[in-house]
Amino acid sequence: MTVDEEASAAVLNRLRRAQGQLAGVIAMIEAGRDCTDVVTQLAAVSRALDRAGFKIVASGMRQCMTAEDGAGQEPMTVEELERLFLALA
């Protein structure tokens, strides 16, 4: 399975945002910020990563509805998609 261009751009956007948020969390810890603030920002990073993963899986589901993914590969099975979803749960 490959990620289509539109989904890829959205995923990269989310990952870059998460990368920036994570750098912020590291800086917060280094600065001795309150644990409530740190955990709040860490949760935002986690959500951003989850959304990126779900976008990738959703792209795979769209491709799974077609005979091939355009790269000559067989579509993912329902079991493979289920494993991907569960990995994000």
Side-chain angles (χ1 to χ4, degrees):
M1 174 190 87
T2 58
V3 181
D4 65 47
E5 270 186 53
E6 182 182 325
S8 179
V11 167
L12 287 173
N13 232 6
R14 290 172 198 247
L15 291 175
R16 286 186 183 107
R17 189 175 317 123
Q19 185 178 31
Q21 289 173 314
L22 185 56
V25 170
I26 292 169
M28 291 172 74
I29 292 171
E30 291 173 342
R33 294 278 301 270
D34 182 66
C35 66
T36 304
D37 296 335
V38 172
V39 170
T40 299
Q41 287 306 308
L42 198 54
V45 172
S46 180
R47 283 190 304 274
L49 292 174
D50 286 345
R51 284 191 295 262
F54 289 132
K55 185 75 169 176
I56 290 170
V57 173
S59 173
M61 287 179 67
R62 255 186 273 123
Q63 291 176 15
C64 194
M65 291 180 205
T66 64
E68 292 186 7
D69 70 2
Q73 297 175 349
E74 289 297 315
M76 295 183 79
T77 65
V78 172
E79 291 78 17
E80 290 170 321
L81 286 168
E82 182 179 344
R83 264 186 267 133
L84 287 176
F85 270 119
L86 291 174
L88 293 170

